[in-house]
Amino acid sequence: MKRHSLLTLGLLCASAAAVAQGVGYTDTPQIRGQKWKVHDKDRPNPPTVKPAATFSHGAPAPADATVLFDGSDFSKWERDGGGAPKWKIEHGYMEVVGKSGGIHTKDQWGDAQLHIEFATPTKPEGESQGRGNSGVFFHGQFEIQVLDSHNNKTYADGQAGALYGQWPPLANAIKGPGEWNSYDLVFEAPRFDAEGKLTKPAYATVILNGVVLHNRKELNGPTNHRSSDPYKAYSGKGGISLQDHGNPTRFRNIWIRPLGEYN
Ligand code: MG
């Protein structure tokens, strides 16, 4: 998980620059396979879609799911860098304690379905990437962005629900500060051959509050800030990580189930 700790640190450091420069960049490299630059200032933002009030709120876990957080304890989690998480638990949710470090699951999965609910801070503070920023990472490498992008200008590929730095969401379906949102996510892990060559990229399906933001969208590599990086071979298994980006974002009702194989 060292890799993820470094990545998190990089994103933390980079956020200040993003705010200082406004709502995007002009000096970043082109995203591989796309006409846009990473965090392109000129990339159009998605349309806003007002979501349903409580879509999949409190969704109970299916029988084959692992409950990662039921509101009571961090037994399934550890802090990036080791040890128990230093985040708060109260009223059935966990809350990021800024600068205490991100957290990740002790267990690992390959292809998986994840349900997770989150709320951005009730008092909106900061702007662009500095407001209600966190993130859900698969395998410590692939971020589904968590951000208060409600009335908050930021670059398109950094919106809530973005495959950060690669694909903006198809819609901005985030709720207001302090309101609960639900993510229903499907992640297909990348595959590599014995020589470490990529044989199948990762794909992500993202539903935010009942609105499809990505439909099995191909990721072109691991998440990074201001760069577009190629895949690096790994086992195709990994944990779920939640990002400490310095904002008191909340999470509740988290469960995961592995995807089976077609016969
Ligand atoms: Mg983030």
PDB file of all heavy atoms in Angstrom, residues 14-29:
ATOM      1  N   ALA A  14      -1.122  18.304  -4.793  1.00  0.00           N
ATOM      2  CA  ALA A  14      -1.494  18.899  -6.070  1.00  0.00           C
ATOM      3  C   ALA A  14      -2.755  19.752  -5.966  1.00  0.00           C
ATOM      4  O   ALA A  14      -2.954  20.652  -6.756  1.00  0.00           O
ATOM      5  CB  ALA A  14      -1.703  17.798  -7.099  1.00  0.00           C
ATOM      6  N   SER A  15      -3.596  19.472  -4.975  1.00  0.00           N
ATOM      7  CA  SER A  15      -4.878  20.160  -4.927  1.00  0.00           C
ATOM      8  C   SER A  15      -4.707  21.661  -4.727  1.00  0.00           C
ATOM      9  O   SER A  15      -5.455  22.450  -5.275  1.00  0.00           O
ATOM     10  CB  SER A  15      -5.754  19.588  -3.816  1.00  0.00           C
ATOM     11  OG  SER A  15      -5.190  19.882  -2.562  1.00  0.00           O
ATOM     12  N   ALA A  16      -3.718  22.026  -3.964  1.00  0.00           N
ATOM     13  CA  ALA A  16      -3.498  23.453  -3.720  1.00  0.00           C
ATOM     14  C   ALA A  16      -3.182  24.175  -5.022  1.00  0.00           C
ATOM     15  O   ALA A  16      -3.679  25.266  -5.284  1.00  0.00           O
ATOM     16  CB  ALA A  16      -2.369  23.635  -2.712  1.00  0.00           C
ATOM     17  N   ALA A  17      -2.388  23.502  -5.866  1.00  0.00           N
ATOM     18  CA  ALA A  17      -2.031  24.102  -7.147  1.00  0.00           C
ATOM     19  C   ALA A  17      -3.265  24.258  -8.022  1.00  0.00           C
ATOM     20  O   ALA A  17      -3.441  25.266  -8.700  1.00  0.00           O
ATOM     21  CB  ALA A  17      -0.992  23.236  -7.852  1.00  0.00           C
ATOM     22  N   ALA A  18      -4.162  23.235  -7.955  1.00  0.00           N
ATOM     23  CA  ALA A  18      -5.365  23.278  -8.781  1.00  0.00           C
ATOM     24  C   ALA A  18      -6.220  24.485  -8.413  1.00  0.00           C
ATOM     25  O   ALA A  18      -6.706  25.193  -9.271  1.00  0.00           O
ATOM     26  CB  ALA A  18      -6.167  21.993  -8.615  1.00  0.00           C
ATOM     27  N   VAL A  19      -6.360  24.719  -7.126  1.00  0.00           N
ATOM     28  CA  VAL A  19      -7.180  25.838  -6.671  1.00  0.00           C
ATOM     29  C   VAL A  19      -6.543  27.156  -7.106  1.00  0.00           C
ATOM     30  O   VAL A  19      -7.205  28.040  -7.622  1.00  0.00           O
ATOM     31  CB  VAL A  19      -7.346  25.793  -5.129  1.00  0.00           C
ATOM     32  CG1 VAL A  19      -8.010  27.069  -4.636  1.00  0.00           C
ATOM     33  CG2 VAL A  19      -8.177  24.583  -4.741  1.00  0.00           C
ATOM     34  N   ALA A  20      -5.236  27.216  -6.924  1.00  0.00           N
ATOM     35  CA  ALA A  20      -4.541  28.459  -7.243  1.00  0.00           C
ATOM     36  C   ALA A  20      -4.664  28.810  -8.724  1.00  0.00           C
ATOM     37  O   ALA A  20      -4.735  29.965  -9.086  1.00  0.00           O
ATOM     38  CB  ALA A  20      -3.073  28.333  -6.855  1.00  0.00           C
ATOM     39  N   GLN A  21      -4.733  27.775  -9.575  1.00  0.00           N
ATOM     40  CA  GLN A  21      -4.750  28.036 -11.005  1.00  0.00           C
ATOM     41  C   GLN A  21      -6.146  28.178 -11.570  1.00  0.00           C
ATOM     42  O   GLN A  21      -6.314  28.355 -12.761  1.00  0.00           O
ATOM     43  CB  GLN A  21      -4.020  26.905 -11.737  1.00  0.00           C
ATOM     44  CG  GLN A  21      -2.525  26.879 -11.436  1.00  0.00           C
ATOM     45  CD  GLN A  21      -1.804  25.905 -12.338  1.00  0.00           C
ATOM     46  OE1 GLN A  21      -2.210  25.722 -13.466  1.00  0.00           O
ATOM     47  NE2 GLN A  21      -0.754  25.305 -11.832  1.00  0.00           N
ATOM     48  N   GLY A  22      -7.164  28.038 -10.732  1.00  0.00           N
ATOM     49  CA  GLY A  22      -8.514  28.162 -11.250  1.00  0.00           C
ATOM     50  C   GLY A  22      -9.146  26.813 -11.452  1.00  0.00           C
ATOM     51  O   GLY A  22      -9.029  25.946 -10.601  1.00  0.00           O
ATOM     52  N   VAL A  23      -9.850  26.617 -12.557  1.00  0.00           N
ATOM     53  CA  VAL A  23     -10.639  25.398 -12.708  1.00  0.00           C
ATOM     54  C   VAL A  23     -10.089  24.466 -13.776  1.00  0.00           C
ATOM     55  O   VAL A  23     -10.831  23.743 -14.409  1.00  0.00           O
ATOM     56  CB  VAL A  23     -12.114  25.724 -12.978  1.00  0.00           C
ATOM     57  CG1 VAL A  23     -12.733  26.371 -11.762  1.00  0.00           C
ATOM     58  CG2 VAL A  23     -12.251  26.607 -14.200  1.00  0.00           C
ATOM     59  N   GLY A  24      -8.836  24.469 -13.974  1.00  0.00           N
ATOM     60  CA  GLY A  24      -8.269  23.530 -14.924  1.00  0.00           C
ATOM     61  C   GLY A  24      -6.878  23.939 -15.347  1.00  0.00           C
ATOM     62  O   GLY A  24      -6.347  24.940 -14.871  1.00  0.00           O
ATOM     63  N   TYR A  25      -6.332  23.139 -16.237  1.00  0.00           N
ATOM     64  CA  TYR A  25      -4.942  23.329 -16.630  1.00  0.00           C
ATOM     65  C   TYR A  25      -4.815  23.465 -18.145  1.00  0.00           C
ATOM     66  O   TYR A  25      -5.663  22.983 -18.912  1.00  0.00           O
ATOM     67  CB  TYR A  25      -4.105  22.142 -16.178  1.00  0.00           C
ATOM     68  CG  TYR A  25      -3.986  22.024 -14.671  1.00  0.00           C
ATOM     69  CD1 TYR A  25      -4.907  21.279 -13.948  1.00  0.00           C
ATOM     70  CD2 TYR A  25      -2.968  22.672 -13.985  1.00  0.00           C
ATOM     71  CE1 TYR A  25      -4.810  21.166 -12.564  1.00  0.00           C
ATOM     72  CE2 TYR A  25      -2.861  22.569 -12.606  1.00  0.00           C
ATOM     73  CZ  TYR A  25      -3.783  21.816 -11.902  1.00  0.00           C
ATOM     74  OH  TYR A  25      -3.681  21.717 -10.542  1.00  0.00           O
ATOM     75  N   THR A  26      -3.744  24.111 -18.537  1.00  0.00           N
ATOM     76  CA  THR A  26      -3.410  24.188 -19.959  1.00  0.00           C
ATOM     77  C   THR A  26      -2.023  23.611 -20.227  1.00  0.00           C
ATOM     78  O   THR A  26      -1.627  23.467 -21.375  1.00  0.00           O
ATOM     79  CB  THR A  26      -3.427  25.655 -20.444  1.00  0.00           C
ATOM     80  OG1 THR A  26      -2.523  26.403 -19.608  1.00  0.00           O
ATOM     81  CG2 THR A  26      -4.818  26.255 -20.349  1.00  0.00           C
ATOM     82  N   ASP A  27      -1.318  23.304 -19.127  1.00  0.00           N
ATOM     83  CA  ASP A  27       0.079  22.887 -19.273  1.00  0.00           C
ATOM     84  C   ASP A  27       0.283  21.399 -18.977  1.00  0.00           C
ATOM     85  O   ASP A  27       1.396  20.964 -18.728  1.00  0.00           O
ATOM     86  CB  ASP A  27       0.971  23.717 -18.348  1.00  0.00           C
ATOM     87  CG  ASP A  27       0.628  23.527 -16.876  1.00  0.00           C
ATOM     88  OD1 ASP A  27      -0.465  22.964 -16.591  1.00  0.00           O
ATOM     89  OD2 ASP A  27       1.435  23.923 -16.017  1.00  0.00           O
ATOM     90  N   THR A  28      -0.811  20.645 -18.977  1.00  0.00           N
ATOM     91  CA  THR A  28      -0.712  19.214 -18.681  1.00  0.00           C
ATOM     92  C   THR A  28      -0.584  18.414 -19.979  1.00  0.00           C
ATOM     93  O   THR A  28      -0.932  18.901 -21.056  1.00  0.00           O
ATOM     94  CB  THR A  28      -1.980  18.750 -17.926  1.00  0.00           C
ATOM     95  OG1 THR A  28      -3.117  19.310 -18.583  1.00  0.00           O
ATOM     96  CG2 THR A  28      -1.952  19.186 -16.483  1.00  0.00           C
ATOM     97  N   PRO A  29      -0.103  17.178 -19.875  1.00  0.00           N
ATOM     98  CA  PRO A  29       0.012  16.351 -21.081  1.00  0.00           C
ATOM     99  C   PRO A  29      -1.358  15.924 -21.601  1.00  0.00           C
ATOM    100  O   PRO A  29      -2.352  15.961 -20.869  1.00  0.00           O
ATOM    101  CB  PRO A  29       0.810  15.141 -20.594  1.00  0.00           C
ATOM    102  CG  PRO A  29       0.585  15.093 -19.126  1.00  0.00           C
ATOM    103  CD  PRO A  29       0.400  16.502 -18.678  1.00  0.00           C
TER     104      PRO A  29
END
